[in-house]
Short mmCIF file of all heavy atoms in Angstrom, two decimals:
data_model
loop_
_atom_site.label_atom_id
_atom_site.label_comp_id
_atom_site.label_asym_id
_atom_site.label_seq_id
_atom_site.Cartn_x
_atom_site.Cartn_y
_atom_site.Cartn_z
N LEU Y 1 -0.80 9.87 -6.49
CA LEU Y 1 0.37 9.36 -7.20
C LEU Y 1 0.58 9.94 -8.60
O LEU Y 1 1.67 9.87 -9.15
CB LEU Y 1 0.30 7.84 -7.30
CG LEU Y 1 0.30 7.06 -5.99
CD1 LEU Y 1 0.19 5.56 -6.27
CD2 LEU Y 1 1.56 7.35 -5.18
N ALA Y 2 -0.49 10.47 -9.20
CA ALA Y 2 -0.40 10.86 -10.61
C ALA Y 2 0.14 12.27 -10.80
O ALA Y 2 -0.11 13.16 -9.99
CB ALA Y 2 -1.77 10.75 -11.27
N ASP Y 3 0.86 12.44 -11.89
CA ASP Y 3 1.13 13.77 -12.42
C ASP Y 3 0.16 14.05 -13.57
O ASP Y 3 -0.31 15.17 -13.72
CB ASP Y 3 2.58 13.87 -12.93
CG ASP Y 3 3.58 13.80 -11.78
OD1 ASP Y 3 3.48 14.64 -10.87
OD2 ASP Y 3 4.43 12.89 -11.79
N GLU Y 4 -0.11 13.01 -14.36
CA GLU Y 4 -1.08 13.14 -15.43
C GLU Y 4 -2.01 11.93 -15.44
O GLU Y 4 -1.65 10.86 -14.94
CB GLU Y 4 -0.40 13.27 -16.79
CG GLU Y 4 0.34 12.02 -17.24
CD GLU Y 4 0.69 12.02 -18.72
OE1 GLU Y 4 0.34 12.99 -19.43
OE2 GLU Y 4 1.30 11.03 -19.17
N VAL Y 5 -3.20 12.13 -15.99
CA VAL Y 5 -4.20 11.07 -16.09
C VAL Y 5 -4.53 10.81 -17.55
O VAL Y 5 -4.75 11.75 -18.32
CB VAL Y 5 -5.49 11.45 -15.33
CG1 VAL Y 5 -6.63 10.48 -15.66
CG2 VAL Y 5 -5.23 11.46 -13.82
N ILE Y 6 -4.55 9.54 -17.92
CA ILE Y 6 -5.13 9.11 -19.19
C ILE Y 6 -6.44 8.42 -18.84
O ILE Y 6 -6.45 7.43 -18.08
CB ILE Y 6 -4.20 8.15 -19.94
CG1 ILE Y 6 -2.93 8.89 -20.41
CG2 ILE Y 6 -4.90 7.53 -21.15
CD1 ILE Y 6 -1.91 7.99 -21.06
N TYR Y 7 -7.56 8.95 -19.35
CA TYR Y 7 -8.86 8.37 -19.05
C TYR Y 7 -9.30 7.47 -20.19
O TYR Y 7 -9.45 7.91 -21.33
CB TYR Y 7 -9.90 9.47 -18.81
CG TYR Y 7 -11.30 8.93 -18.63
CD1 TYR Y 7 -11.58 8.01 -17.62
CD2 TYR Y 7 -12.33 9.32 -19.48
CE1 TYR Y 7 -12.85 7.50 -17.47
CE2 TYR Y 7 -13.61 8.81 -19.32
CZ TYR Y 7 -13.87 7.90 -18.31
OH TYR Y 7 -15.12 7.39 -18.15
N LEU Y 8 -9.51 6.19 -19.84
CA LEU Y 8 -9.88 5.18 -20.82
C LEU Y 8 -11.35 4.83 -20.64
O LEU Y 8 -11.80 4.53 -19.52
CB LEU Y 8 -9.00 3.95 -20.62
CG LEU Y 8 -8.91 2.92 -21.75
CD1 LEU Y 8 -8.24 3.54 -22.97
CD2 LEU Y 8 -8.12 1.70 -21.29
N HIS Y 9 -12.11 4.85 -21.73
CA HIS Y 9 -13.54 4.55 -21.68
C HIS Y 9 -13.89 3.66 -22.86
O HIS Y 9 -13.68 4.03 -24.02
CB HIS Y 9 -14.35 5.85 -21.73
CG HIS Y 9 -15.83 5.64 -21.85
ND1 HIS Y 9 -16.60 5.18 -20.81
CD2 HIS Y 9 -16.68 5.83 -22.89
CE1 HIS Y 9 -17.86 5.10 -21.19
NE2 HIS Y 9 -17.94 5.49 -22.46
N GLN Y 10 -14.38 2.45 -22.56
CA GLN Y 10 -14.76 1.50 -23.59
C GLN Y 10 -13.66 1.30 -24.63
O GLN Y 10 -13.89 1.27 -25.83
CB GLN Y 10 -16.07 1.94 -24.26
CG GLN Y 10 -17.26 1.92 -23.30
CD GLN Y 10 -18.57 2.27 -23.95
OE1 GLN Y 10 -18.61 2.79 -25.06
NE2 GLN Y 10 -19.66 1.98 -23.27
N GLY Y 11 -12.43 1.17 -24.13
CA GLY Y 11 -11.30 0.91 -25.01
C GLY Y 11 -10.76 2.10 -25.76
O GLY Y 11 -9.88 1.94 -26.62
N ARG Y 12 -11.25 3.29 -25.45
CA ARG Y 12 -10.79 4.50 -26.14
C ARG Y 12 -10.21 5.48 -25.14
O ARG Y 12 -10.71 5.61 -24.02
CB ARG Y 12 -11.95 5.17 -26.88
CG ARG Y 12 -12.53 4.36 -28.04
CD ARG Y 12 -13.67 5.13 -28.71
NE ARG Y 12 -14.11 4.48 -29.92
CZ ARG Y 12 -15.02 3.51 -29.97
NH1 ARG Y 12 -15.59 3.10 -28.84
NH2 ARG Y 12 -15.37 2.97 -31.11
N VAL Y 13 -9.17 6.21 -25.55
CA VAL Y 13 -8.63 7.28 -24.73
C VAL Y 13 -9.48 8.52 -24.98
O VAL Y 13 -9.43 9.11 -26.06
CB VAL Y 13 -7.15 7.56 -25.06
CG1 VAL Y 13 -6.66 8.79 -24.30
CG2 VAL Y 13 -6.29 6.35 -24.70
N LEU Y 14 -10.27 8.90 -23.97
CA LEU Y 14 -11.14 10.07 -24.12
C LEU Y 14 -10.47 11.35 -23.63
O LEU Y 14 -10.80 12.44 -24.13
CB LEU Y 14 -12.45 9.87 -23.38
CG LEU Y 14 -13.43 8.84 -23.94
CD1 LEU Y 14 -14.80 9.01 -23.27
CD2 LEU Y 14 -13.58 8.95 -25.45
N GLU Y 15 -9.60 11.22 -22.64
CA GLU Y 15 -8.94 12.43 -22.11
C GLU Y 15 -7.51 12.12 -21.67
O GLU Y 15 -7.20 10.99 -21.27
CB GLU Y 15 -9.70 12.98 -20.89
CG GLU Y 15 -11.05 13.56 -21.22
CD GLU Y 15 -11.60 14.39 -20.07
OE1 GLU Y 15 -10.80 15.09 -19.40
OE2 GLU Y 15 -12.83 14.35 -19.86
N ARG Y 16 -6.69 13.15 -21.72
CA ARG Y 16 -5.35 13.10 -21.15
C ARG Y 16 -5.05 14.48 -20.62
O ARG Y 16 -5.07 15.46 -21.37
CB ARG Y 16 -4.32 12.69 -22.20
CG ARG Y 16 -2.92 12.54 -21.62
CD ARG Y 16 -1.95 12.00 -22.65
NE ARG Y 16 -0.68 11.67 -22.06
CZ ARG Y 16 0.31 11.06 -22.70
NH1 ARG Y 16 0.16 10.71 -23.99
NH2 ARG Y 16 1.44 10.79 -22.09
N ALA Y 17 -4.81 14.59 -19.32
CA ALA Y 17 -4.67 15.91 -18.71
C ALA Y 17 -3.89 15.81 -17.41
O ALA Y 17 -3.81 14.73 -16.81
CB ALA Y 17 -6.05 16.50 -18.43
N PRO Y 18 -3.30 16.93 -16.94
CA PRO Y 18 -2.72 16.94 -15.60
C PRO Y 18 -3.77 16.52 -14.58
O PRO Y 18 -4.96 16.78 -14.75
CB PRO Y 18 -2.31 18.42 -15.40
CG PRO Y 18 -2.12 18.93 -16.79
CD PRO Y 18 -3.14 18.23 -17.62
N VAL Y 19 -3.34 15.87 -13.50
CA VAL Y 19 -4.28 15.22 -12.60
C VAL Y 19 -5.32 16.17 -12.02
O VAL Y 19 -6.52 15.89 -12.03
CB VAL Y 19 -3.53 14.46 -11.48
CG1 VAL Y 19 -2.66 15.39 -10.64
CG2 VAL Y 19 -4.51 13.68 -10.62
N GLU Y 20 -4.91 17.34 -11.55
CA GLU Y 20 -5.88 18.25 -10.94
C GLU Y 20 -6.83 18.81 -11.98
O GLU Y 20 -8.02 19.03 -11.70
CB GLU Y 20 -5.15 19.37 -10.19
CG GLU Y 20 -4.49 18.91 -8.90
CD GLU Y 20 -5.46 18.16 -7.98
OE1 GLU Y 20 -6.65 18.54 -7.90
OE2 GLU Y 20 -5.04 17.18 -7.35
N GLU Y 21 -6.34 19.05 -13.18
CA GLU Y 21 -7.21 19.54 -14.25
C GLU Y 21 -8.25 18.49 -14.61
O GLU Y 21 -9.43 18.81 -14.84
CB GLU Y 21 -6.38 19.89 -15.48
CG GLU Y 21 -7.19 20.41 -16.66
CD GLU Y 21 -6.33 20.72 -17.85
OE1 GLU Y 21 -5.18 21.19 -17.65
OE2 GLU Y 21 -6.78 20.50 -18.99
N PHE Y 22 -7.83 17.23 -14.65
CA PHE Y 22 -8.77 16.16 -14.99
C PHE Y 22 -9.91 16.09 -13.97
O PHE Y 22 -11.08 15.98 -14.35
CB PHE Y 22 -8.06 14.80 -15.04
CG PHE Y 22 -8.99 13.63 -15.22
CD1 PHE Y 22 -9.52 13.34 -16.47
CD2 PHE Y 22 -9.37 12.86 -14.13
CE1 PHE Y 22 -10.40 12.27 -16.64
CE2 PHE Y 22 -10.24 11.79 -14.29
CZ PHE Y 22 -10.76 11.50 -15.55
N PHE Y 23 -9.58 16.18 -12.69
CA PHE Y 23 -10.61 16.05 -11.66
C PHE Y 23 -11.45 17.31 -11.49
O PHE Y 23 -12.62 17.24 -11.14
CB PHE Y 23 -9.99 15.64 -10.32
CG PHE Y 23 -9.64 14.18 -10.25
CD1 PHE Y 23 -8.32 13.77 -10.32
CD2 PHE Y 23 -10.63 13.22 -10.14
CE1 PHE Y 23 -7.99 12.42 -10.25
CE2 PHE Y 23 -10.32 11.87 -10.08
CZ PHE Y 23 -9.00 11.46 -10.14
N SER Y 24 -10.85 18.48 -11.72
CA SER Y 24 -11.60 19.72 -11.51
C SER Y 24 -12.34 20.19 -12.76
O SER Y 24 -13.40 20.82 -12.66
CB SER Y 24 -10.65 20.83 -11.04
OG SER Y 24 -9.67 21.13 -12.02
N LYS Y 25 -11.79 19.87 -13.95
CA LYS Y 25 -12.41 20.34 -15.19
C LYS Y 25 -12.37 19.25 -16.26
O LYS Y 25 -11.69 19.38 -17.29
CB LYS Y 25 -11.68 21.59 -15.71
CG LYS Y 25 -11.75 22.79 -14.78
CD LYS Y 25 -10.97 23.96 -15.35
CE LYS Y 25 -11.01 25.15 -14.42
NZ LYS Y 25 -10.19 26.30 -14.95
N PRO Y 26 -13.09 18.13 -16.04
CA PRO Y 26 -13.08 17.08 -17.06
C PRO Y 26 -13.63 17.61 -18.38
O PRO Y 26 -14.59 18.38 -18.40
CB PRO Y 26 -14.00 16.01 -16.46
CG PRO Y 26 -14.84 16.72 -15.45
CD PRO Y 26 -13.97 17.82 -14.90
#
């Protein structure tokens, strides 16, 4: 469903990237 991912960790935004980039190259 995603075009982009915002990754939230312990209340902080650690990453924001296109979905495939997030999963292939965190």
Side-chain angles (χ1 to χ4, degrees):
L1 298 178
D3 292 302
E4 67 164 359
V5 168
I6 292 175
Y7 174 58
L8 198 65
H9 173 72
Q10 295 184 345
R12 294 180 172 87
V13 173
L14 290 193
E15 292 194 37
R16 184 174 189 173
V19 60
E20 288 307 322
E21 180 181 325
F22 174 78
F23 282 106
S24 63
K25 297 178 181 178

